[in-house]
Amino acid sequence: MLQTSNYSLVLSLQFLLLSYDLFVNSFSELLRMAPVIQLVLFIIQDIAILFNIIIIFLMFFNTFVFQAGLVNLLFHKFKGTIILTAVYLGLSISFHVWVMNLRWKNSNSFVWTDGLQTLFVFQRLAAVLYCYFYKRTAVRLGDPRFYQDSLWLRKEFMQVRR
Amino acid sequence: MRADSGPRLEEGPSRPPRTLPPVPSQDDIPLNRPKKKKPRTKNTLASASLEGLAQTAVHRPSEGSEPPTEELEEHLEAPVQKRQKKTRLPLELETSFTQKKTSSPSLLRNENGIDVEPAEEAVIQKPRRKTKKTKPAELQYANELGIEDEDIITDEQTTPEQQSIFTAPTGISHPVGKVFVEKSRRFQAADRSELIKTTENIDVSMDMKPSWTTRDVALSVHRAFRMIGLFSHGFLAGCALWNIVVIYVLAGDQLSDLSNLLQQYKTLAYPFQSLLYLLLALSTISAFDRIDFAKTSVAIRNFFALDPTALASFLYFTALILSLSQQMTSDRIHLYTPSSVNGSLWAAGIEEQILPPWIVVNLVVALLVGLSWLFLSYRPGMDLSEELMFSSDVEEYPDKDKAIKASS
């Protein structure tokens, strides 16, 4: 059974990483006095996303549903989050690599092309969706029903099998 | 140990006294002790041989006080002991009744000469065990640290006869205030009363815990975020309105003074773009929360039913896309230098091409954001996420209650 204190700790860590992500997405363009600052911000952001993926998977492993072997049910329920987080990580890394590559020599130069602008829009949109889905999943995993056998679980299992 | 000792014991009576087992050596002592606990053998064992055997085993520790010759005498005078036993029997019954809870192993060792005693004790102990079992488990647990009156021997009821034979004295015991608790692989003395207090406190905290479950944490976080979202909706609408007013004021009548707009607005463009993204992201997430966007079928149905909240989230998402698409232009404004300067991004005449669409997009974003805010404020309490995510519990609880009632 999930302890309330543990869950609070994990949830606050997840929200900390999410808010860092949101902060960098919002204000990284302003903090480009030196290219190194952006580089460090981007690296920490990507690591934060990776950490969030690890944490959410650890939470999955901790559920009764997973331990009972119903991995498929968990995947079915949270596939949106898993796929979106992976896509967002990919988009983020590629955008960061591209921007840093262009700005490394002169951080205050105008580097935008149509391709970069498109990637930027998709990355920022994915960030919002990722934030929403991830937050929802983290909050949902606090439901005690995931940590014990119940009628609800059996019903869900039957629905997935159909 | 018992398996091979059993047959030996029962063989005893059938054998003639001549084939007495040899006087046990030091090694045999531990082997012999458990035998005495067997009540079944005690009644049947009248043979002097076994009595002698057991007695020697018991007396071994106190050998120094008694001459070894006495032992030999006992072996030889088996019939005499039989008689002695008969006379002592009622006396032993008495002691076993009075000293209910005296430590039985020590008693057995001491009063080995009288074999009937343990059987009697077993008879007496039985009803007491039964009563213990009927007690509720909680009570037993609560009393675990307490002192039972039966455990304390206050009076020494040893007859002079016993004292002469049984050397191990049963002293007067006292209730000790200390309890030894194992902490980090060491036993440390702890005060009994304090320990009882702490265990009671643990019980209390265990009772308190269910009132604040993980679901409550999740629900409170969800509600806190909804509050942040509510703030950001209003703040975003105000910001967008202020932004568009500033742009139109700086641009002058009929957008005639665009160079003035660029010069004044260039420091403001990028920070505002960043702030707009942050607020739009928060507002979009909050609006998605309200319509439970993850349940796509419900969200789409609500959208086509022209539900204000669903419309608001759609408008927020559109505004977000439009705002993001202006990132390139915002950066260009941010890096504005007059066209006369070398390497300027703003060649002469390019202002009229770039700025009007940018202003229109900003106006549209402000309108969308304002409309969303109005739509949301139409039904501010709506939150499908909370209803759908935590609703099935409400369905489940009546079932549980029913089950509890049925079982009771």
Side-chain angles (χ1 to χ4, degrees), chain A residues 4 7 11 15 26-27 29 32 108 112 117 120 124-125 131-132 135-136 139-140 142 144-145 152, chain B residues 212 214-215 217-218 221 270 274 277-278 288-289 292-294 324-325 327-328 331 335 389 392-393 396:
Chain A
T4 311
Y7 177 66
L11 202 62
F15 270 80
S26 302
F27 299 111
E29 290 292 307
R32 56 178 200 194
N108 254 334
W112 296 96
Q117 171 72 39
F120 173 83
R124 293 297 204 261
L125 282 180
C131 206
Y132 166 69
K135 186 182 76 71
R136 188 176 183 274
V139 168
R140 283 208 73 181
R145 286 176 300 170
W152 168 82
Chain B
W212 188 249
T214 48
R215 189 172 52 223
V217 174
V221 166
Y270 231 34
S274 300
Y277 175 74
L278 177 69
F288 281 172
D289 256 348
D292 203 14
F293 180 70
L324 284 173
S325 67
Q327 183 77 21
M328 185 162 38
D331 200 17
L335 298 169
M389 274 160 68
S392 35
D393 307 315
E396 243 187 345

Side-chain angles (χ1 to χ4, degrees), chain B residues 78-291:
Chain B
V80 182
Q81 277 237 343
K82 259 188 192 174
R83 259 177 278 143
Q84 265 189 354
K85 197 188 84 184
K86 273 178 190 171
T87 53
R88 258 185 248 162
L89 213 148
L91 202 148
E92 274 311 307
L93 276 171
E94 234 182 72
T95 52
S96 65
F97 273 118
T98 48
Q99 303 175 346
K100 265 184 195 170
K101 185 80 200 234
T102 46
S103 52
S104 54
S106 68
L107 228 166
L108 279 172
R109 249 172 267 151
N110 290 344
E111 300 170 34
N112 186 37
I114 303 94
D115 289 324
V116 193
E117 195 275 326
E120 294 295 332
E121 204 192 53
V123 172
I124 296 152
Q125 274 185 344
K126 265 188 182 174
R128 204 166 57 82
R129 271 181 207 156
K130 271 180 189 171
T131 52
K132 254 193 178 176
K133 270 179 190 171
T134 52
K135 271 186 196 172
E138 299 158 23
L139 253 171
Q140 254 186 319
Y141 177 73
N143 291 338
E144 219 165 57
L145 284 167
I147 309 156
E148 281 183 42
D149 294 339
E150 292 169 339
D151 291 342
I152 304 154
I153 305 164
T154 46
D155 50 342
E156 252 187 319
Q157 290 201 346
T158 45
T159 53
E161 203 174 346
Q162 275 177 314
Q163 272 179 347
S164 65
I165 299 168
F166 318 119
T167 45
T170 52
I172 302 167
S173 57
H174 314 275
V176 186
K178 300 274 180 197
V179 172
F180 291 86
V181 183
E182 192 176 5
K183 281 177 192 169
S184 60
R185 292 183 157 228
R186 279 189 181 187
F187 282 97
Q188 288 167 340
D191 207 39
R192 193 189 292 272
S193 55
E194 274 179 22
L195 213 66
I196 289 170
K197 265 186 206 169
T198 50
T199 50
E200 275 170 1
N201 284 344
I202 288 165
D203 287 347
V204 169
S205 61
M206 292 277 272
D207 292 339
M208 291 287 284
K209 261 188 180 174
S211 64
W212 188 249
T213 57
T214 48
R215 189 172 52 223
D216 295 324
V217 174
L219 208 59
S220 64
V221 166
H222 181 75
R223 281 176 183 157
F225 189 81
R226 199 175 63 186
M227 199 196 67
I228 295 169
L230 201 62
F231 169 75
S232 78
H233 293 314
F235 190 52
L236 175 61
C239 262
L241 185 67
W242 169 81
N243 183 48
I244 200 71
V245 166
V246 166
I247 287 172
Y248 269 101
V249 166
L250 288 176
D253 201 17
Q254 299 291 318
L255 306 180
S256 55
D257 203 359
L258 287 178
S259 56
N260 178 46
L261 169 69
L262 282 174
Q263 271 181 349
Q264 303 291 329
Y265 196 74
K266 75 170 215 179
T267 48
L268 216 64
Y270 231 34
F272 183 76
Q273 181 74 18
S274 300
L275 186 67
L276 197 67
Y277 175 74
L278 177 69
L279 290 174
L280 268 173
L282 281 176
S283 302
T284 312
I285 294 166
S286 171
F288 281 172
D289 256 348
R290 280 163 184 263
I291 59 160

Side-chain angles (χ1 to χ4, degrees), chain B residues 357-405:
Chain B
W358 176 75
I359 293 172
V360 169
V361 168
N362 267 306
L363 181 66
V364 170
V365 167
L367 280 176
L368 290 175
V369 163
L371 267 180
S372 308
W373 183 51
L374 280 178
F375 283 150
L376 279 177
S377 55
Y378 178 67
R379 288 174 70 182
M382 183 180 170
D383 194 345
L384 279 181
S385 275
E386 193 179 319
E387 285 171 24
L388 288 172
M389 274 160 68
F390 302 101
S391 62
S392 35
D393 307 315
V394 186
E395 288 165 20
E396 243 187 345
Y397 277 142
D399 292 349
K400 269 186 187 173
D401 290 349
K402 272 177 203 168
I404 289 162
K405 273 177 193 170

Side-chain angles (χ1 to χ4, degrees), chain A residues 12 24 32 81 85 98 117 136 145 158:
Chain A
S12 45
V24 172
R32 56 178 200 194
T81 310
T85 310
W98 195 345
Q117 171 72 39
R136 188 176 183 274
R145 286 176 300 170
M158 291 307 290

